[in-house]
Amino acid sequence: MSTCATASRDLDEPVAGTAATANTWLLLEQPGPWGAKALTSSHLDATLGAALEAAAKDTGVRIALIRRPGRHADSHSPVERQVYAAHVRPDGAWLHSAVITDPARLLDLDFAALGRGEVGSFDAELAGAEHTGAPLALVCTNGKRDRCCALLGRPLAAELAAAGASGTWEITHLGGHRFSPTLLVLPYGYAYGRLDAAAVKEVLTAVGDGRIVTDGCRGNSAWDRPGQAAELAVRTTVGEQRAGALSVVGSEAVSSEAVSNDVEGGEVERGEDAAPRWRITVAHRDGRAWAVTVAQGAARPPRPESCGGALGTPARMDVVAVRELAGV
C-alpha cells in the first residue's frame, strides 16, 4: 500500500528544514481519541480547546495534546494530567512540568511571557517545577491527521515505551506527515523524521549527554525553515554536537546572483527565478559565526504531501554555501 511517507522516502526527499516552528511548547495530557484538530475535536472540552488556541495565537507558543502509548481509554472523570512547558531557544532553554486535574487552569497562564521564555506563570499558576526526568520523545500518532502517523508512529511509540524509554509520549501533530514517523525531542526542541527505535534511542542518549544528533534531524523548532537548515548545516560542517552551542542571529533575503557569488565557481542550480533565497548568520557561543546561503527549491517529481492528497512539489531548503566569517 503506497503512502505519502513511502513516496517521500523512495524519492529521498531531504528532511532538514521541515520542523514545525515554536519558541515554546505547551503539552497537555489528554486521554481518549483525537480528531484531526485535536484541541477542538477530542475529549478535551471544545470550548476550552478553542480558548487555548486563541490565547496562544501569535505568542510563539504551540499547544499540543499528549498521551501515553497504548490503549487510549478515557474515564471522562477528573484525573491527574501531566503538563509540560518547554522553551527551546538555545539562549534560554528550559523544560518544566506540572500535574493538574482541571485543564482550564491553563487559561491562567501568561502565554506571551511563555513565548518569550519566561517560565514564571507556569510555575506560579500550576505549581510547576523543572523537569528532572528522562528526555521527552514525543511521537506523532494522530491517524486522523494522516494515516502514516498512525501506521508508523504508533508502533515506534510502543516499541520505545516497551524498551524503557520513560519519556515517550504520543503527540497530536508535528507537521510533515510524509516524514513519518516524526517526533519532537525535548528539552532542546529538535524534530526528527524516518527514524527507527534504535536510532531514536541514540538520539535520546545523546540528548541526555547534552548533544544533538543530526542524522534524520528536521531542525530546531526555534528557527524558521531556512534557519533550521542553516543551523544543521553548520553543525555538520564543523562537527558541533553540543546542544545550545549555535544560534541563528540574522537572516536576509538575497538575489540569485548573490547566491551564485557565494558558491565556489560561481554557479548554482537556480530553479525558479522567483524562489526565495536567504543568507543566514549562525553564531557559536564561542564567538565564531558563519554565513549560510539557503535557496528554496521544489521537491520533484510531484508527490503527495499527505495521504489522499493531490500530488505536489513541496518546498525544500537547499544549503548551497557555508562560509565562516572572519573577525567576528
Side-chain angles (χ1 to χ4, degrees):
M1 176 176 59
S2 178
T3 65
C4 65
T6 300
S8 179
R9 186 187 297 268
D10 289 348
L11 292 169
D12 198 26
E13 184 178 352
V15 302
T18 66
T21 57
N23 289 333
T24 303
W25 292 82
L26 181 62
L27 309 173
L28 169 66
E29 184 177 4
Q30 174 59 55
W34 297 332
K37 295 183 177 180
L39 280 180
T40 54
S41 57
S42 68
H43 287 180
L44 181 70
D45 179 78
T47 301
L48 172 59
L52 288 171
E53 286 182 338
K57 186 177 180 181
D58 298 326
T59 65
V61 177
R62 187 179 178 105
I63 306 175
L65 304 182
I66 58 175
R67 63 191 178 196
R68 286 297 190 183
R71 298 190 62 181
H72 307 134
D74 183 2
S75 66
H76 296 277
S77 61
V79 294
E80 290 188 339
R81 300 168 184 252
Q82 186 69 54
V83 183
Y84 294 103
H87 185 68
V88 298
R89 293 185 70 89
D91 55 353
W94 45 258
L95 172 60
H96 282 224
S97 64
V99 176
I100 62 174
T101 55
D102 180 7
R105 293 179 61 191
L106 297 184
L107 291 175
D108 295 329
L109 298 176
D110 186 335
F111 283 86
L114 286 175
R116 294 192 299 267
E118 300 167 17
V119 73
S121 71
F122 184 86
D123 288 353
E125 298 294 341
L126 307 182
E130 182 179 3
H131 173 70
T132 57
L136 304 186
L138 302 143
V139 183
C140 185
T141 63
N142 192 348
K144 295 295 185 180
R145 298 283 307 197
D146 191 280
R147 63 180 177 176
C148 284
C149 298
L151 293 173
L152 300 174
R154 287 178 185 167
L156 174 61
E159 185 174 353
L160 290 172
S166 60
T168 303
W169 294 85
E170 299 183 3
I171 190 169
T172 47
H173 184 49
L174 293 175
H177 320 298
R178 63 192 184 280
F179 304 118
S180 294
T182 63
L183 69 151
L184 175 72
V185 179
L186 297 175
Y188 301 122
Y190 286 82
Y192 291 84
R194 301 191 189 130
L195 297 188
D196 59 19
V200 174
K201 291 174 191 175
E202 292 181 4
V203 169
L204 295 176
T205 297
V207 168
D209 293 336
R211 297 181 291 110
I212 303 301
V213 172
T214 56
D215 289 346
C217 190
R218 300 176 62 193
N220 187 325
S221 76
W223 318 127
D224 62 13
R225 292 188 60 187
Q228 293 169 13
E231 191 244 18
L232 289 175
V234 172
R235 283 193 175 276
T236 302
T237 299
V238 304
E240 179 56 75
Q241 294 185 324
R242 289 169 294 179
L246 299 175
S247 294
V248 174
V249 298
S251 176
E252 62 174 334
V254 295
S255 66
S256 58
E257 289 77 15
V259 172
S260 293
N261 290 336
D262 284 346
V263 179
E264 185 176 354
E267 294 183 2
V268 63
E269 183 179 346
R270 296 186 180 184
E272 298 294 335
D273 288 340
R277 299 160 175 88
W278 302 267
R279 186 173 291 122
I280 312 293
T281 304
V282 178
H284 197 289
R285 63 189 177 195
D286 67 9
R288 289 178 293 164
W290 294 263
V292 184
T293 307
V294 179
Q296 180 173 305
R300 291 191 171 89
R303 78 288 312 278
E305 294 188 50
S306 60
C307 288
L311 296 181
T313 53
R316 52 183 285 173
M317 297 294 125
D318 295 322
V319 173
V320 297
V322 178
R323 177 172 56 89
E324 185 168 0
L325 299 173
V328 176

Coordinates of all heavy atoms in Angstrom, one line a residue, residues 13-78:
E13 N 13.5 12.6 -0.3 CA 13.2 14.0 0.0 C 14.0 14.3 1.3 O 13.9 13.7 2.3 CB 11.8 14.2 0.2 CG 11.4 15.7 0.4 CD 9.9 15.9 0.5 OE1 9.1 14.9 0.3 OE2 9.5 17.0 0.9
P14 N 14.8 15.4 1.3 CA 15.5 15.8 2.5 C 14.6 16.2 3.6 O 13.6 16.9 3.4 CB 16.4 16.9 2.0 CG 15.7 17.5 0.8 CD 15.0 16.3 0.1
V15 N 15.0 15.9 4.8 CA 14.2 16.3 6.0 C 14.6 17.6 6.6 O 13.8 18.2 7.4 CB 14.1 15.1 7.0 CG1 13.6 13.9 6.4 CG2 15.5 14.9 7.7
A16 N 15.8 18.0 6.4 CA 16.3 19.2 7.1 C 15.5 20.4 6.7 O 15.2 20.6 5.5 CB 17.8 19.4 6.7
G17 N 15.2 21.3 7.7 CA 14.4 22.5 7.4 C 13.0 22.2 7.2 O 12.3 23.0 6.5
T18 N 12.4 21.2 7.9 CA 11.0 20.9 7.8 C 10.2 20.8 9.1 O 9.1 20.4 9.2 CB 10.8 19.5 7.1 OG1 11.3 18.5 7.9 CG2 11.5 19.5 5.7
A19 N 10.9 21.2 10.2 CA 10.2 21.1 11.5 C 9.2 22.2 11.7 O 9.3 23.3 11.1 CB 11.3 21.2 12.6
A20 N 8.2 21.9 12.5 CA 7.2 22.9 13.0 C 7.9 24.0 13.7 O 9.0 23.7 14.3 CB 6.1 22.3 13.8
T21 N 7.4 25.2 13.7 CA 8.1 26.3 14.4 C 7.3 26.7 15.7 O 6.1 26.8 15.7 CB 8.2 27.5 13.5 OG1 6.9 27.9 13.1 CG2 9.0 27.2 12.3
A22 N 8.1 26.9 16.8 CA 7.6 27.3 18.0 C 8.7 27.7 18.9 O 9.8 27.0 19.0 CB 6.7 26.3 18.7
N23 N 8.6 28.8 19.6 CA 9.6 29.1 20.7 C 9.4 28.3 21.9 O 10.3 27.9 22.6 CB 9.5 30.6 21.1 CG 10.0 31.5 20.0 OD1 10.9 31.2 19.2 ND2 9.5 32.8 20.0
T24 N 8.1 28.1 22.2 CA 7.7 27.3 23.4 C 6.6 26.3 23.1 O 5.7 26.7 22.4 CB 7.2 28.3 24.5 OG1 8.2 29.3 24.8 CG2 6.9 27.6 25.8
W25 N 6.8 25.1 23.7 CA 5.8 24.1 23.5 C 5.0 23.9 24.8 O 5.6 23.9 25.9 CB 6.4 22.8 23.1 CG 7.0 22.7 21.8 CD1 8.2 23.2 21.4 CD2 6.4 22.2 20.6 NE1 8.4 23.0 20.0 CE2 7.3 22.4 19.5 CE3 5.2 21.6 20.3 CZ2 7.0 22.0 18.2 CZ3 4.9 21.2 19.0 CH2 5.8 21.4 18.0
L26 N 3.7 23.9 24.8 CA 2.8 23.6 25.9 C 2.1 22.3 25.6 O 1.3 22.3 24.7 CB 1.9 24.8 26.1 CG 0.9 24.6 27.4 CD1 1.7 24.6 28.7 CD2 0.0 25.8 27.4
L27 N 2.3 21.3 26.4 CA 1.8 20.0 26.2 C 0.9 19.5 27.3 O 1.3 19.5 28.5 CB 3.0 19.0 26.1 CG 4.1 19.4 25.1 CD1 5.3 18.4 25.2 CD2 3.6 19.5 23.7
L28 N -0.3 19.1 26.9 CA -1.3 18.8 27.9 C -1.7 17.3 27.7 O -2.1 16.9 26.6 CB -2.6 19.6 27.8 CG -3.8 19.2 28.5 CD1 -3.6 19.3 30.0 CD2 -5.0 20.1 28.1
E29 N -1.7 16.5 28.8 CA -2.1 15.1 28.7 C -3.6 15.1 28.5 O -4.4 15.7 29.3 CB -1.7 14.3 29.9 CG -2.0 12.9 29.8 CD -1.5 12.1 31.0 OE1 -1.0 12.7 32.0 OE2 -1.7 10.8 31.1
Q30 N -4.1 14.3 27.5 CA -5.5 14.2 27.2 C -5.7 12.8 26.7 O -5.4 12.4 25.6 CB -6.0 15.2 26.1 CG -7.4 15.0 25.7 CD -8.4 15.1 26.9 OE1 -8.4 16.1 27.5 NE2 -9.2 14.1 27.1
P31 N -6.3 11.9 27.6 CA -6.6 10.5 27.2 C -7.8 10.5 26.2 O -8.5 11.5 26.0 CB -7.0 9.9 28.5 CG -7.5 11.0 29.4 CD -6.7 12.2 29.0
G32 N -8.0 9.3 25.6 CA -9.1 9.2 24.7 C -8.6 9.5 23.2 O -7.5 9.8 23.0
P33 N -9.5 9.3 22.3 CA -9.2 9.5 20.9 C -9.0 11.0 20.5 O -9.5 11.9 21.3 CB -10.4 9.0 20.1 CG -11.6 9.2 21.1 CD -11.0 8.9 22.5
W34 N -8.3 11.2 19.5 CA -8.1 12.6 19.0 C -8.6 12.7 17.5 O -8.5 11.8 16.7 CB -6.6 12.9 18.9 CG -5.8 12.9 20.2 CD1 -6.3 13.1 21.4 CD2 -4.5 12.6 20.4 NE1 -5.4 13.0 22.4 CE2 -4.2 12.7 21.8 CE3 -3.4 12.2 19.5 CZ2 -2.9 12.5 22.3 CZ3 -2.1 12.0 20.1 CH2 -1.9 12.1 21.4
G35 N -9.2 13.9 17.3 CA -9.6 14.2 15.9 C -8.5 14.9 15.2 O -7.4 15.1 15.7
A36 N -8.8 15.3 13.9 CA -7.8 16.0 13.1 C -7.3 17.2 13.7 O -6.1 17.5 13.7 CB -8.3 16.2 11.7
K37 N -8.2 18.0 14.3 CA -7.8 19.3 15.0 C -8.0 19.0 16.5 O -9.1 19.3 17.1 CB -8.6 20.5 14.5 CG -8.3 20.8 13.1 CD -9.0 22.1 12.6 CE -8.7 22.4 11.2 NZ -9.4 23.7 10.8
A38 N -7.0 18.4 17.1 CA -7.3 17.7 18.4 C -7.7 18.6 19.5 O -8.5 18.2 20.4 CB -6.0 17.0 18.8
L39 N -7.3 19.9 19.5 CA -7.7 20.8 20.6 C -9.2 21.0 20.7 O -9.8 21.2 21.7 CB -7.0 22.1 20.5 CG -5.6 22.2 21.1 CD1 -5.0 23.6 20.9 CD2 -5.5 21.7 22.5
T40 N -9.8 20.9 19.5 CA -11.3 21.1 19.5 C -12.0 19.8 19.0 O -13.3 19.9 18.8 CB -11.6 22.3 18.5 OG1 -11.0 22.1 17.2 CG2 -11.1 23.6 19.1
S41 N -11.3 18.7 18.8 CA -12.0 17.5 18.3 C -11.4 16.3 19.1 O -10.9 15.4 18.4 CB -11.9 17.3 16.8 OG -10.5 17.3 16.4
S42 N -11.5 16.4 20.4 CA -11.0 15.3 21.2 C -12.0 15.3 22.5 O -13.0 16.0 22.5 CB -9.6 15.5 21.6 OG -9.4 16.6 22.5
H43 N -11.6 14.5 23.5 CA -12.4 14.6 24.7 C -12.1 15.8 25.6 O -12.7 16.0 26.6 CB -12.2 13.3 25.5 CG -12.9 12.1 24.9 ND1 -12.8 10.8 25.4 CD2 -13.6 11.9 23.7 CE1 -13.5 10.0 24.7 NE2 -14.0 10.6 23.6
L44 N -11.1 16.6 25.2 CA -11.0 17.9 25.8 C -12.2 18.8 25.4 O -12.6 18.8 24.2 CB -9.7 18.6 25.3 CG -9.4 19.9 25.9 CD1 -9.0 19.8 27.4 CD2 -8.2 20.6 25.1
D45 N -12.7 19.5 26.4 CA -13.8 20.4 26.1 C -13.5 21.3 24.9 O -12.5 22.0 24.9 CB -14.2 21.2 27.3 CG -15.3 22.2 27.1 OD1 -16.5 21.7 27.1 OD2 -15.1 23.4 26.8
A46 N -14.4 21.3 23.9 CA -14.1 22.0 22.6 C -14.0 23.5 22.9 O -13.2 24.2 22.2 CB -15.1 21.7 21.6
T47 N -14.8 24.0 23.8 CA -14.8 25.5 24.1 C -13.5 25.8 24.7 O -12.9 26.9 24.4 CB -16.0 25.8 25.0 OG1 -17.2 25.5 24.3 CG2 -16.0 27.3 25.3
L48 N -13.0 25.0 25.6 CA -11.7 25.2 26.2 C -10.6 25.1 25.2 O -9.7 26.0 25.2 CB -11.5 24.2 27.3 CG -10.1 24.2 28.0 CD1 -9.7 25.6 28.6 CD2 -10.0 23.1 29.0
G49 N -10.7 24.1 24.3 CA -9.7 24.0 23.3 C -9.6 25.2 22.4 O -8.5 25.7 22.1
A50 N -10.7 25.8 22.0 CA -10.8 27.0 21.2 C -10.2 28.2 21.9 O -9.5 29.0 21.4 CB -12.2 27.3 20.7
A51 N -10.5 28.3 23.2 CA -10.0 29.4 24.0 C -8.4 29.3 24.2 O -7.7 30.3 24.1 CB -10.6 29.4 25.4
L52 N -7.9 28.1 24.3 CA -6.5 27.9 24.4 C -5.8 28.3 23.1 O -4.8 28.9 23.0 CB -6.1 26.4 24.7 CG -6.4 26.0 26.2 CD1 -6.3 24.5 26.4 CD2 -5.5 26.7 27.2
E53 N -6.4 27.8 22.0 CA -5.9 28.2 20.6 C -5.8 29.8 20.5 O -4.8 30.3 20.0 CB -6.7 27.7 19.5 CG -6.6 26.2 19.3 CD -7.4 25.7 18.2 OE1 -8.4 26.3 17.8 OE2 -7.1 24.6 17.6
A54 N -6.9 30.4 20.9 CA -6.9 31.9 20.9 C -5.9 32.5 21.8 O -5.2 33.5 21.4 CB -8.3 32.4 21.2
A55 N -5.7 32.0 23.0 CA -4.7 32.5 23.9 C -3.3 32.4 23.4 O -2.4 33.3 23.7 CB -4.9 31.8 25.3
A56 N -3.0 31.3 22.7 CA -1.6 31.1 22.2 C -1.3 31.8 20.9 O -0.1 31.9 20.5 CB -1.4 29.6 22.1
K57 N -2.3 32.3 20.2 CA -2.1 32.8 18.9 C -1.1 34.0 18.9 O -1.2 34.9 19.7 CB -3.4 33.3 18.3 CG -3.3 33.8 16.8 CD -4.7 34.2 16.3 CE -4.6 34.7 14.9 NZ -5.9 35.2 14.3
D58 N -0.1 33.9 18.0 CA 0.9 35.0 17.8 C 1.7 35.2 19.0 O 2.3 36.3 19.2 CB 0.2 36.3 17.4 CG -0.5 36.2 16.1 OD1 -0.1 35.4 15.2 OD2 -1.6 36.9 16.0
T59 N 1.9 34.2 19.9 CA 2.7 34.4 21.1 C 4.0 33.6 21.0 O 4.9 33.7 21.9 CB 2.0 33.9 22.4 OG1 1.7 32.5 22.3 CG2 0.7 34.6 22.6
G60 N 4.1 32.7 20.0 CA 5.3 31.9 19.9 C 5.1 30.6 20.7 O 6.0 29.7 20.7
V61 N 3.9 30.4 21.2 CA 3.6 29.1 22.0 C 2.8 28.2 21.1 O 1.8 28.6 20.5 CB 2.8 29.4 23.3 CG1 2.5 28.1 24.0 CG2 3.6 30.3 24.2
R62 N 3.2 27.0 21.0 CA 2.4 25.9 20.3 C 1.9 24.9 21.3 O 2.6 24.4 22.1 CB 3.3 25.3 19.2 CG 2.6 24.3 18.3 CD 3.6 23.7 17.3 NE 3.0 22.7 16.4 CZ 2.7 23.0 15.1 NH1 3.0 24.1 14.6 NH2 2.1 22.0 14.4
I63 N 0.6 24.7 21.2 CA -0.1 23.8 22.2 C -0.3 22.5 21.5 O -0.8 22.4 20.3 CB -1.4 24.4 22.7 CG1 -1.2 25.7 23.3 CG2 -2.0 23.4 23.7 CD1 -2.5 26.4 23.7
A64 N -0.1 21.4 22.2 CA -0.4 20.0 21.6 C -0.9 19.1 22.8 O -0.6 19.4 23.9 CB 0.8 19.4 20.9
L65 N -1.7 18.1 22.4 CA -2.1 17.1 23.4 C -1.2 15.9 23.3 O -0.6 15.6 22.3 CB -3.5 16.7 23.0 CG -4.6 17.8 23.0 CD1 -6.0 17.1 22.7 CD2 -4.6 18.6 24.2
I66 N -1.0 15.3 24.5 CA -0.1 14.1 24.5 C -0.9 13.0 25.3 O -1.8 13.3 26.0 CB 1.2 14.4 25.2 CG1 1.0 15.0 26.7 CG2 2.0 15.4 24.4 CD1 2.3 15.2 27.5
R67 N -0.4 11.8 25.1 CA -1.0 10.7 25.9 C 0.1 9.6 25.9 O 1.0 9.5 25.0 CB -2.3 10.2 25.3 CG -2.1 9.6 23.9 CD -3.5 9.4 23.2 NE -3.2 8.9 21.8 CZ -4.2 8.9 20.9 NH1 -5.4 9.3 21.1 NH2 -3.9 8.4 19.7
R68 N 0.0 8.7 26.8 CA 1.0 7.6 26.9 C 0.7 6.6 25.8 O -0.5 6.4 25.4 CB 0.9 6.9 28.3 CG 1.5 7.7 29.4 CD 3.0 7.9 29.2 NE 3.7 8.5 30.4 CZ 5.0 8.8 30.4 NH1 5.7 8.6 29.4 NH2 5.5 9.3 31.5
P69 N 1.7 5.9 25.3 CA 1.5 4.9 24.3 C 0.6 3.8 24.8 O 0.6 3.5 26.0 CB 2.9 4.4 23.9 CG 3.8 5.5 24.3 CD 3.1 6.1 25.5
G70 N -0.2 3.1 23.9 CA -1.0 2.0 24.3 C -2.5 2.4 24.1 O -2.8 3.2 23.3
R71 N -3.3 1.7 24.9 CA -4.8 1.9 24.8 C -5.1 3.3 25.3 O -4.5 3.9 26.2 CB -5.5 0.9 25.6 CG -5.3 -0.5 25.1 CD -6.3 -1.5 25.8 NE -7.6 -1.2 25.4 CZ -8.7 -1.8 25.9 NH1 -8.5 -2.8 26.7 NH2 -9.9 -1.5 25.5
H72 N -6.1 3.9 24.7 CA -6.4 5.3 24.9 C -7.8 5.5 25.6 O -8.6 6.3 25.2 CB -6.4 6.1 23.6 CG -5.1 5.9 22.9 ND1 -5.1 5.7 21.5 CD2 -3.8 5.9 23.3 CE1 -3.8 5.6 21.1 NE2 -3.0 5.7 22.2
A73 N -8.0 4.7 26.6 CA -9.3 4.7 27.4 C -9.4 6.1 28.1 O -8.4 6.7 28.6 CB -9.4 3.6 28.4
D74 N -10.6 6.6 28.2 CA -10.9 7.8 28.9 C -12.1 7.6 29.8 O -13.2 7.3 29.3 CB -11.2 9.0 27.9 CG -11.4 10.3 28.5 OD1 -11.3 10.4 29.8 OD2 -11.6 11.3 27.8
S75 N -11.9 7.8 31.1 CA -13.0 7.6 32.0 C -14.0 8.7 32.1 O -15.0 8.6 32.7 CB -12.4 7.3 33.4 OG -11.8 8.5 33.9
H76 N -13.6 9.8 31.4 CA -14.5 11.0 31.4 C -14.7 11.6 32.8 O -15.6 12.4 33.1 CB -15.8 10.8 30.8 CG -15.8 10.4 29.3 ND1 -15.7 11.4 28.3 CD2 -15.7 9.2 28.7 CE1 -15.6 10.7 27.2 NE2 -15.6 9.4 27.4
S77 N -13.8 11.2 33.8 CA -13.9 11.8 35.1 C -12.6 12.5 35.4 O -11.6 12.3 34.7 CB -14.0 10.6 36.1 OG -13.0 9.7 36.1
P78 N -12.6 13.4 36.3 CA -11.3 14.2 36.6 C -10.2 13.3 37.0 O -10.3 12.4 37.9 CB -11.8 15.1 37.8 CG -13.2 15.2 37.7 CD -13.7 13.9 37.2

